[in-house]
Amino acid sequence: MKKRILLSSFFLAINMLVHSQEHMEGPFNQLIIRGVTLINGNGAPPMGPVDISVENNKITGVHNVGYPGVEINESARPKLKDGGKELDATGMYLLPGFIDMHGHIGGKAQGATPEYVFKLWMAHGVTTVREVGGPGIEWTQDLQKKIENKEMAGPRIISYTVFGNGSEKPITTPEEAREWVRKNADAGADGIKFFGAAPGIMKAALEENARLGKGSAMHHAQLSVGRWNVLNSAKAGLTSMEHWYGLPEALFDDKTVQHYPLDYNYQNEQHRFAEAGKLWAQATEPGSEHWNQTMDTLLALDFTLDPTFNIYEASRDLMRARRAEWHETYTLPSLWKFYQPSKISHGSYWHYWGTEEEVAWRENFRIWMQFVNDYKNRGGRVTTGSDSGFIFQLYGFAYVRELELLREAGFHPLEVIRAATLNGAEAIGMEDKLGTVEPGKLADFVIVEENPLQNFKVLYGTGAIKLTEDNEVVRVGGVKYTIKDGIIYDSKGLLNEVEQMVEKAKEEEDFRITQPGMD
């Protein structure tokens, strides 16, 4: 029996590899992408038509080949060499590959395999992911090698280990913290993800990590934030904060801890998320001296905000997140089950979620978005992270939703694209390789047939709804090609593979999606 299972797993892996190879081409000695409108990651306005030339995974030229509405002079175009590949993308839009600054590669609880997660990310143009908190550095490095060796389709992974992961005993002293940080760096990790610890331990770990030149991210969990908020972290060397925890606490005027009800229990997920939705209302007034002083401090430290708005959106509109149209086709049964109300699953806090909770969270978003937009307007770095796999947010689709929410926060669409590309590259120290389309950088691109600046919904795998001149309802968009390291991926082909994976899982379990309490 065991032998049959192993053989079955082997053939499944081979089958998945064959499918992925059907939807990829390259790499090529030379690749020329013809006739696109370039939307770059540096805030520049679109320009086109241009031809993009690539050799050995490096951009060699961005060639202005004409003017809109004017026939292109073929003699002005870069020439294709013997053995080169030409991709006709005339009339399409090309952007730098997207960077997801807060990714989790599935998980046992969700039942989402790396292959499933990677295909969804790549199908939505995500070519680089900062993984913040996998099972361990060895597991992540194994996936990195498989991707680099073309054994599986996947984004470039930047690995941040959860602080203390792999330690045989709890870290209880500053010296133990420094030692763990050094071992993590020696193991090849790119950085550390923190949740909180005693102030002395946090200070030692962050300072040692900064001394080693490694990145850091932190979810300032409520269990430690009363003594250590975002200002403490930033001053000690933290390079980016995740979500928003720790920021309102740094903005309290008349308290040092949030106003917890006296029957609050952190292990109760509804308590945890309902009260979190009241935090920004307890902070200082937007635009106040305290507000500006806190922002000044973070700006002076070149600190990065990675808000991950989308992962909390269900808190302000549960039905919208739960009924997203892509769930039926692309959400695995195991993932759908994980999302349901539960006293055990993290983020499944719908014990009795109602009007009062959603109203509070809408106000929470309003003030939170104002801080993030003000920070951007004053020159602060804001990035794009999805934190998918929880709270009805599906890999890839949630990343596009994050772009929409940055737009809602007040970002110009070009500022949104910069947050998704160049800002992320800067935050992980790879701005010399990623984030913009310019000679010398790696060949990571997103190509879409519709203009995403006019409507970010065209980046969803399900596309955007459009009424034609003939009064016909159609779907337009969906990423056409994702190019990573000079390899061309058929994005819709990757989505088709995910759809087949989901259909197979549903057939095996005799499963269909139903709404909670309505089986």
Side-chain angles (χ1 to χ4, degrees):
M1 178 66 179
K2 186 176 181 181
K3 193 172 184 180
R4 283 202 302 273
I5 292 172
L6 288 172
L7 283 171
S8 176
S9 299
F10 171 77
F11 286 120
L12 177 61
I14 292 297
N15 187 47
M16 290 172 63
L17 180 60
V18 169
H19 276 301
S20 294
Q21 289 175 335
E22 288 176 357
H23 301 299
M24 61 180 280
E25 286 186 88
F28 310 96
N29 291 333
Q30 183 198 33
L31 170 64
I32 299 179
I33 305 166
R34 302 284 193 191
V36 296
T37 296
L38 172 62
I39 302 174
N40 219 333
N42 55 8
M47 61 174 289
V50 299
D51 287 357
I52 312 291
S53 57
V54 174
E55 293 184 14
N56 299 319
N57 187 26
K58 288 285 183 71
I59 302 169
T60 56
V62 179
H63 310 272
N64 188 338
V65 296
Y67 303 90
V70 178
E71 187 175 352
I72 294 174
N73 180 356
E74 291 298 323
S75 65
R77 311 190 88 165
K79 306 304 178 186
L80 192 67
K81 300 175 184 178
D82 290 342
K85 167 72 177 180
E86 189 174 67
L87 181 64
D88 184 4
T90 301
M92 300 184 194
Y93 296 82
L94 182 145
L95 304 86
F98 295 143
I99 299 173
D100 191 333
M101 285 288 288
H102 195 114
H104 297 286
I105 306 172
K108 289 183 179 179
Q110 292 96 326
T113 64
E115 291 85 358
Y116 169 80
V117 175
F118 291 163
K119 284 178 171 59
L120 284 169
W121 272 330
M122 294 283 285
H124 287 89
V126 176
T127 58
T128 301
V129 173
R130 185 179 66 161
E131 186 235 9
V132 285
I137 184 63
E138 297 85 1
W139 182 83
T140 304
Q141 288 174 338
D142 179 63
L143 291 174
Q144 288 174 317
K145 288 176 184 175
K146 287 177 179 175
I147 293 169
E148 290 167 6
N149 294 335
K150 313 297 187 293
E151 295 175 35
M152 63 193 309
R156 183 179 298 100
I157 302 173
I158 309 301
S159 60
Y160 277 35
T161 315
V162 171
F163 179 61
N165 188 297
S167 180
E168 295 179 358
K169 61 178 183 177
I171 296 171
T172 59
T173 69
E175 186 47 48
E176 288 175 352
R178 293 188 190 96
E179 182 182 359
W180 184 92
V181 169
R182 289 191 291 268
K183 287 181 177 178
N184 185 59
D186 289 343
D190 298 300
I192 303 173
K193 164 78 174 294
F194 293 91
F195 286 94
I201 292 173
M202 284 299 309
K203 186 172 186 294
L206 283 167
E207 288 179 350
E208 185 69 11
N209 196 60
R211 185 186 69 81
L212 295 171
K214 297 291 184 178
S216 51
M218 187 165 180
H219 169 156
H220 291 77
Q222 288 96 326
L223 295 179
S224 298
V225 75
R227 293 192 293 168
W228 187 271
N229 60 44
V230 69
L231 286 178
N232 302 108
S233 297
K235 291 173 183 177
L238 184 71
T239 58
S240 72
M241 66 168 288
E242 307 306 295
H243 318 309
W244 50 273
Y245 307 105
L247 189 47
E249 289 89 347
L251 293 166
F252 286 162
D253 283 326
D254 57 354
K255 59 179 70 68
T256 60
V257 297
Q258 73 181 83
H259 184 68
Y260 293 110
L262 299 184
D263 63 346
Y264 177 97
N265 187 328
Y266 183 74
Q267 292 294 90
N268 181 314
E269 290 279 289
Q270 170 123 357
H271 283 187
R272 176 178 169 182
F273 283 90
E275 293 307 314
K278 302 172 185 176
L279 248 173
W280 276 101
Q282 298 174 45
T284 192
E285 284 292 318
S288 67
E289 183 179 359
H290 191 176
W291 176 280
N292 290 325
Q293 285 178 344
T294 300
M295 195 173 293
D296 287 342
T297 300
L298 297 176
L299 288 166
L301 292 167
D302 193 29
F303 193 68
T304 297
L305 303 185
D306 186 42
T308 70
F309 290 124
N310 80 95
I311 199 61
Y312 299 101
E313 189 175 24
S315 301
R316 69 175 187 174
D317 191 348
L318 175 58
M319 187 181 293
R320 182 195 186 284
R322 201 180 71 233
R323 297 307 298 254
E325 62 186 1
W326 42 81
H327 284 313
E328 276 76 11
T329 304
Y330 300 111
T331 297
L332 285 169
S334 57
L335 193 51
W336 184 255
K337 293 172 187 175
F338 177 77
Y339 290 151
Q340 302 315 303
S342 169
K343 293 182 178 180
I344 299 170
S345 299
H346 172 54
S348 297
Y349 50 90
W350 325 111
H351 303 180
Y352 191 49
W353 201 257
T355 307
E356 295 303 305
E357 287 78 15
E358 291 190 352
V359 168
W361 265 97
R362 289 180 194 126
E363 178 66 1
N364 211 48
F365 264 86
R366 184 187 69 80
I367 306 170
W368 176 21
M369 284 180 163
Q370 184 172 342
F371 189 96
V372 172
N373 194 48
D374 285 356
Y375 194 73
K376 174 265 299 178
N377 287 340
R378 293 181 57 185
R381 185 184 302 106
V382 178
T383 57
T384 306
S386 69
D387 197 12
S388 309
F390 303 92
I391 320 178
F392 294 105
Q393 297 301 324
L394 185 59
Y395 313 94
F397 290 93
Y399 188 85
V400 179
R401 183 58 185 156
E402 186 71 7
L403 303 182
E404 291 192 282
L405 291 169
L406 287 166
R407 180 72 184 95
E408 180 184 330
F411 287 45
H412 185 281
L414 287 170
E415 293 175 324
V416 174
I417 297 302
R418 184 167 60 195
T421 55
L422 182 57
N423 286 3
E426 290 176 348
I428 58 176
M430 295 187 70
E431 65 272 24
D432 59 330
K433 297 180 176 66
L434 303 171
T436 56
V437 178
E438 56 184 300
K441 291 196 175 185
L442 299 180
D444 281 20
F445 311 119
V446 184
I447 299 177
V448 62
E449 293 169 305
E450 305 291 324
N451 184 353
L453 299 180
Q454 293 180 320
N455 184 2
F456 283 123
K457 294 184 192 301
V458 301
L459 295 171
Y460 285 121
T462 46
I465 300 168
K466 186 174 184 179
L467 189 67
T468 69
E469 293 296 324
D470 298 324
N471 204 36
E472 179 186 0
V473 178
V474 297
R475 289 278 177 156
V476 297
V479 174
K480 179 76 170 176
Y481 302 110
T482 298
I483 300 177
K484 185 233 169 189
D485 285 333
I487 299 173
I488 304 170
Y489 293 88
D490 174 356
S491 301
K492 295 179 181 180
L494 294 176
L495 272 181
N496 286 336
E497 288 186 26
V498 173
E499 182 176 358
Q500 291 171 27
M501 293 168 72
V502 172
E503 286 180 357
K504 185 174 186 297
K506 285 181 176 180
E507 289 173 4
E508 290 174 350
E509 299 182 32
D510 190 24
F511 178 87
R512 65 183 181 87
I513 284 181
T514 57
Q515 296 303 315
M518 299 176 69
D519 296 356

